[in-house]
């Protein structure tokens, strides 16, 4: 540890990792972090080669990395199966009958799925996908509530080399339509409905609307029965998940795919009206999510790990599914809202199941503060040993509250900065090592060559603001924007010469700690979710009554930022009849 950090620790400007945590953490000294960090930059082949050995490969790689800006290839020539790494490889170990998923639905229904059970369900559903014509490389759109079957569907795609594109269940029919048009998915996997704040979200109906009229690539819609809703079944197109299972076997051997085989496309907002399909591939992504889950969450077999994100976001992909399951962890998942039926639902769950690691967004923390600490104090949270945050900057007050009220001053907090594009954590404390400062994502993870630069790419001085860039490729980086290589190069690799531009502004303090200031492009961060101003504007001007629209962000106490729209109407009276329906669709988007 540097002398300066030691002095700061004495002065109370840092929060040192609690001793008991540090003693048994995988990495437990600053020297070890610095040594590994140095190796990861100076000898990436050695470092990443060793980390990748933590996964099962069908064929070894020939080269760790090939890089020709902006195209990276990791573990070149290697072959593996992402699903096999998350499921099958635990079957020959003591984890076979260990819980993989511990699930609670919003109405209070409960299910546990062991690794052996998950394996069976994934194999069965992979065969259902095959029976419905899905082949390696085909795109499958998943639009599900947060139930175990959403994860089963993702892993089943990975098993047969199909590319999943999960669309968050809170998104509208228009979002589904846009993503179908862009990805050309042939199959949609959905549910009749899902529960959210005591209401049923009519997922299948939204899919029906998305498929109404016009050309579509979709051949099949597979529907899981979750909410017992009466739904429309389109003959020759729609099939029930449970009926399909009757026709398939539970045997589905996993095949090895090239390390650069596409794993998924996840759409995120950019600075234009059209969402970008961020493409991730297999080997590098899995190494990145596996390695960060191991070191940043310090995952153990005894843990009950809970990341509250929905699988519709990158956090759900990397830290509900691929990272923790590849580590053989037990993951808690909860379908519904944190304040249903009352604002202590999360703490009830932590107490009842004995959650040990809890990972959520600052917006949620600020909501808990607003709802009052008495909701927390009703529950015994002593099982918690590690807390995390993600998605947006956390204000120091919220950090302190999280530390004191939820963590009882015993849990380290990992404030993890990363993006849909980065696939895995980039700036983050290591919980047994890094002294934390409330509001800072602290230091770079292994292999991350982060810097803050001006418009010309020159590094700025201490505490000077600038653009946050990454100066070399890393295993879990995006491989492109689906179908738009020019936009990929232009957006990420052309703004600062030779560097990946994150879109974020940041500064680095006298200890080398990073402080994220916020987006530098036309992207808002509302409740930890990215929203392009141009996207909202284009939804607004699509309305027949709207002449012009301009959208800006304003600070919001709970959500970080809120959307403010300035709209000029063409003529209110004439179009009034349209308002109800269209505005509702627009806001859902
Ligand atoms: O602005 C940063 C912010 O969220 C953006 C990425 O959003 P998205 O791709 O939706 O992924 C969110 C989950 C990884 C970043 O460009 N952001 C993310 N994490 C943090 C953050 N800002 C500050 N601190 C963080 N820990």
């Amino acid at each position: 540890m540097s002398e300066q950090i030691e002095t700061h620790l004495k002065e109370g400007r840092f929060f040192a990792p609690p001793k008991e945590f540090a003693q048994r953490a995988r990495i437990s000294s600053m020297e070890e972090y610095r040594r590994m960090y140095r190796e990861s930059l100076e000898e990436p082949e050695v470092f990443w080669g060793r980390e990748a050995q933590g996964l099962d490969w069908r064929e070894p790689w020939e080269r760790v990395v090939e890089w020709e800006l902006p195209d990276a290839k990791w573990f070149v020539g290697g072959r593996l199966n992402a699903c096999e790494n998350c499921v099958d490889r635990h079957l020959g170990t003591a984890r076979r009958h260990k819980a993989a998923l511990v699930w609670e639905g919003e109405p209070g229904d409960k299910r546990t799925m062991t690794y052996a059970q998950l394996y069976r369900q994934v194999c069965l559903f992979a065969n259902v996908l095959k029976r419905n014509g899905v082949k390696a490389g085909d795109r499958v759109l998943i639009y599900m509530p947060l139930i175990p079957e959403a994860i089963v569907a993702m892993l089943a795609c990975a098993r047969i080399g199909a590319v999943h594109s999960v669309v968050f269940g809170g998104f509208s029919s228009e979002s589904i339509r846009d993503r179908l048009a862009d990805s050309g998915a042939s199959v949609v996997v959905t549910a009749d409905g899902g529960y959210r704040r005591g209401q049923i979200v009519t997922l299948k109906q939204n899919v029906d609307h998305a498929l109404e009229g016009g050309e579509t690539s979709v051949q099949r819609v597979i529907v899981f029965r979750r909410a017992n809703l009466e739904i429309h079944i389109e003959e020759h197109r729609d099939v029930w998940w449970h009926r399909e299972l009757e026709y398939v076997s539970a045997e589905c051997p996993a095949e090895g795919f090239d390390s650069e085989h596409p794993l998924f496309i996840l759409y995120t907002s950019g600075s234009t009206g059209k969402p970008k399909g961020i493409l991730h591939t297999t080997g590098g992504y899995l190494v990145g999510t596996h390695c960060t889950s191991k070191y940043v969450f310090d995952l153990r077999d005894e843990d009950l790990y809970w990341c509250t994100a929905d699988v519709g976001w990158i956090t759900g992909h990397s830290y509900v599914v691929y990272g923790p399951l590849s580590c053989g962890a037990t993951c808690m998942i909860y379908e519904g809202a944190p304040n249903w039926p009352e604002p202590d639902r999360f703490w009830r769950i932590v107490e009842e199941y004995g959650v040990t690691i809890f990972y959520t967004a600052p917006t949620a923390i600020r909501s808990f503060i607003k709802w009052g600490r008495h909701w927390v104090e009703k529950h015994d949270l002593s099982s918690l040993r590690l807390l995390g945050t993600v998605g947006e900057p956390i204000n120091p007050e919220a950090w302190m509250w999280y530390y004191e009220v939820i963590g009882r001053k015993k849990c380290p907090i990992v404030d993890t900065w990363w993006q849909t594009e980065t696939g895995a954590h980039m700036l983050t404390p290591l919980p047994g090592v890094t002294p934390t400062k409330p509001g800072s994502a602290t230091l770079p993870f292994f292999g991350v060559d982060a810097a803050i630069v001006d418009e010309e790419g020159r590094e700025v001085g201490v505490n000077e603001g600038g653009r946050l860039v990454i100066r070399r490729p890393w295993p879990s980086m995006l491989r492109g924007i689906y179908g738009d290589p020019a936009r990929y190069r232009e957006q990420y690799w052309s703004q600062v010469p030779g560097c990946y531009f994150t879109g974020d502004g940041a500064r680095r303090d006298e200890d080398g700690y990073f402080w994220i200031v916020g987006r530098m492009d036309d992207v808002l961060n509302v409740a930890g979710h990215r929203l392009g101003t141009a996207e909202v504007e284009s939804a607004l001007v699509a309305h027949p009554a709207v002449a012009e629209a301009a959208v800006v962000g304003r600070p919001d106490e709970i959500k970080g930022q809120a959307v403010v729209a300035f709209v000029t109407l063409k003529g209110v009276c004439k179009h009034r009849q349209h308002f109800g329906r269209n505005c509702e669709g627009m806001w859902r988007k």
Side-chain angles (χ1 to χ4, degrees):
M1 193 175 303
S2 81
E3 263 173 43
Q4 194 174 17
I5 292 184
E6 271 192 342
T7 320
H8 288 343
L9 272 174
K10 281 194 206 111
E11 290 167 358
R13 285 169 59 190
F14 284 109
F15 289 82
K19 277 217 173 62
E20 311 102 83
F21 195 101
Q23 271 160 5
R24 60 186 299 256
R26 279 201 179 79
I27 302 179
S28 57
S29 75
M30 204 49 149
E31 287 72 38
E32 203 178 345
Y33 159 72
R34 295 221 188 276
R35 187 187 53 73
M36 288 173 73
Y37 181 68
R38 210 174 314 116
E39 184 193 46
S40 72
L41 294 193
E42 288 169 7
E43 295 178 281
E45 281 82 7
V46 176
F47 180 88
W48 288 116
R50 195 176 54 238
E51 287 303 324
Q53 300 290 357
L55 297 174
D56 282 359
W57 295 79
R58 289 292 182 99
E59 301 270 345
W61 56 90
E62 286 147 22
R63 277 177 309 289
V64 169
V65 59
E66 260 176 30
W67 172 233
E68 195 176 325
L69 189 143
D71 299 311
K73 287 188 181 150
W74 283 86
F75 309 105
V76 184
R79 292 182 83 80
L80 77 169
N81 185 297
C83 172
E84 185 174 50
N85 271 286
C86 291
V87 185
D88 309 33
R89 76 191 186 115
H90 306 307
L91 301 180
T93 73
R95 292 177 182 144
R96 183 180 180 89
H97 300 301
K98 175 189 178 209
L101 306 176
V102 178
W103 173 81
E104 191 170 297
E106 195 184 76
D109 37 350
K110 298 173 181 178
R111 280 163 65 194
T112 297
M113 218 185 248
T114 64
Y115 275 97
Q117 290 172 315
L118 179 62
Y119 170 74
R120 184 177 159 79
Q121 294 306 316
V122 167
C123 288
L124 284 165
F125 195 66
N127 282 332
V128 169
L129 289 174
K130 282 196 207 161
R131 182 180 135 78
N132 285 283
V134 179
K135 295 181 299 303
D138 290 353
R139 276 79 59 217
V140 173
L141 187 139
I142 300 174
Y143 182 66
M144 302 274 277
L146 191 48
I147 55 177
E149 282 68 22
I151 296 167
V152 167
M154 291 165 76
L155 292 168
C157 287
R159 191 168 194 84
I160 60 170
V163 184
H164 58 70
S165 183
V166 184
V167 177
F168 173 52
F171 281 177
S172 64
S173 305
E174 289 81 359
S175 312
I176 305 172
R177 192 179 298 134
D178 291 349
R179 285 151 178 77
L180 282 174
D182 192 77
S183 65
S186 56
V187 167
V188 175
V189 183
T190 188
D192 52 350
Y195 294 87
R196 185 80 195 179
R197 211 164 275 120
Q199 306 281 322
I200 295 183
V201 185
T202 55
L203 297 169
K204 170 62 166 64
Q205 202 180 70
N206 293 352
V207 172
D208 289 341
H209 288 320
L211 295 177
E212 265 164 22
E215 287 279 293
T216 170
S217 51
V218 175
Q219 308 284 320
R220 275 284 178 281
V221 178
I222 305 175
V223 191
F224 183 79
R225 179 174 277 154
R226 160 79 186 120
N228 274 321
L229 290 184
E230 287 277 327
I231 56 160
H232 166 74
I233 290 284
E234 179 84 22
E235 228 182 304
H236 308 301
R237 189 194 71 189
D238 302 349
V239 293
W240 284 105
W241 176 306
H242 61 276
R243 296 296 299 273
E244 287 297 291
L245 291 184
E246 292 169 14
Y247 300 104
V248 295
S249 93
E251 244 172 75
C252 181
E255 202 187 311
F257 292 100
D258 190 277
S259 178
E260 285 300 332
H261 185 79
L263 181 62
F264 65 85
I265 301 167
L266 184 60
Y267 286 86
T268 187
S269 296
S271 47
T272 72
K274 189 171 169 262
K276 301 178 282 194
I278 302 300
L279 176 72
H280 282 283
T281 59
T282 310
Y285 174 78
L286 212 58
V287 170
T289 51
H290 180 77
C291 179
T292 44
S293 297
K294 187 170 80 174
Y295 292 127
V296 178
F297 295 130
D298 201 47
L299 273 178
R300 309 273 159 176
D301 270 317
E302 319 78 88
D303 277 317
L304 178 58
Y305 159 88
W306 185 15
C307 163
T308 65
D310 189 279
V311 289
W313 308 106
I314 190 66
T315 309
H317 284 59
S318 301
Y319 298 113
V320 175
V321 184
Y322 291 105
L325 294 182
S326 68
C327 291
T330 299
C331 303
M332 179 80 222
I333 38 175
Y334 163 61
E335 177 187 28
N339 56 349
W340 186 264
E342 290 191 298
D344 63 345
R345 184 63 182 270
F346 275 14
W347 318 123
R348 264 176 203 279
I349 292 176
V350 170
E351 180 175 21
E352 179 177 338
Y353 295 87
V355 172
T356 59
I357 302 178
F358 181 73
Y359 187 39
T360 199
T363 289
I365 299 167
R366 290 189 288 264
S367 302
F368 299 136
I369 298 175
K370 188 175 134 213
W371 296 332
R373 68 159 71 191
H374 59 284
W375 290 110
V376 183
E377 285 164 354
K378 285 164 78 167
H379 299 280
D380 174 7
L381 306 185
S382 57
S383 57
L384 289 171
R385 69 180 194 95
L386 174 64
L387 303 174
T389 70
V390 56
E392 50 183 324
I394 182 164
N395 46 316
E397 302 72 36
W399 194 102
M400 287 307 300
W401 188 91
Y402 199 32
Y403 183 71
E404 289 174 5
V405 180
I406 305 301
R408 308 154 338 274
K409 300 187 184 170
K410 293 202 173 98
C411 305
I413 297 180
V414 287
D415 175 351
T416 59
W417 176 90
W418 58 295
Q419 307 179 297
T420 305
E421 293 86 341
T422 69
H425 300 149
M426 300 294 276
L427 303 175
T428 175
L430 294 180
V433 176
T434 319
T436 46
K437 302 187 194 187
S440 168
T442 75
L443 300 170
F445 187 71
F446 305 127
V448 176
D449 186 6
I452 298 174
V453 300
D454 63 16
E455 295 94 79
E456 272 85 50
R458 281 186 304 252
E459 233 176 315
V460 301
V462 169
N463 278 323
E464 269 178 48
R467 296 158 183 238
L468 176 62
V469 297
I470 315 292
R471 293 185 289 204
R472 61 172 75 197
W474 63 101
S476 62
M477 64 184 260
L478 76 165
R479 298 300 195 267
I481 295 178
Y482 188 71
D484 201 345
R487 190 175 177 198
Y488 167 63
R489 177 184 274 272
E490 206 281 313
Q491 185 107 38
Y492 299 109
W493 297 97
S494 304
Q495 309 203 14
V496 180
C499 294
Y500 168 85
F501 178 42
T502 61
D504 279 0
R507 69 180 170 86
R508 205 168 184 184
D509 70 14
E510 55 287 352
D511 298 308
Y513 277 38
F514 286 85
W515 296 79
I516 305 296
V517 179
R519 300 290 304 187
M520 294 182 81
D521 51 9
D522 288 333
V523 172
L524 306 179
N525 191 328
V526 179
H529 299 138
R530 266 159 73 168
L531 211 58
T533 50
E535 225 177 312
V536 184
E537 284 159 6
S538 80
L540 286 166
V541 296
H543 191 281
V546 173
E548 281 178 306
V551 166
V552 292
R554 69 156 170 74
D556 183 273
E557 220 178 286
I558 304 285
K559 297 185 170 193
Q561 278 191 300
V563 178
V564 178
F566 297 89
V567 176
T568 322
L569 300 180
K570 286 179 189 158
V572 177
C573 297
K574 200 168 127 214
H575 295 287
R576 188 177 287 153
Q577 70 271 24
H578 294 297
F579 277 13
R581 212 189 72 221
N582 284 354
C583 286
E584 199 194 331
M586 182 174 75
W587 286 114
R588 268 188 282 132
K589 191 169 178 181

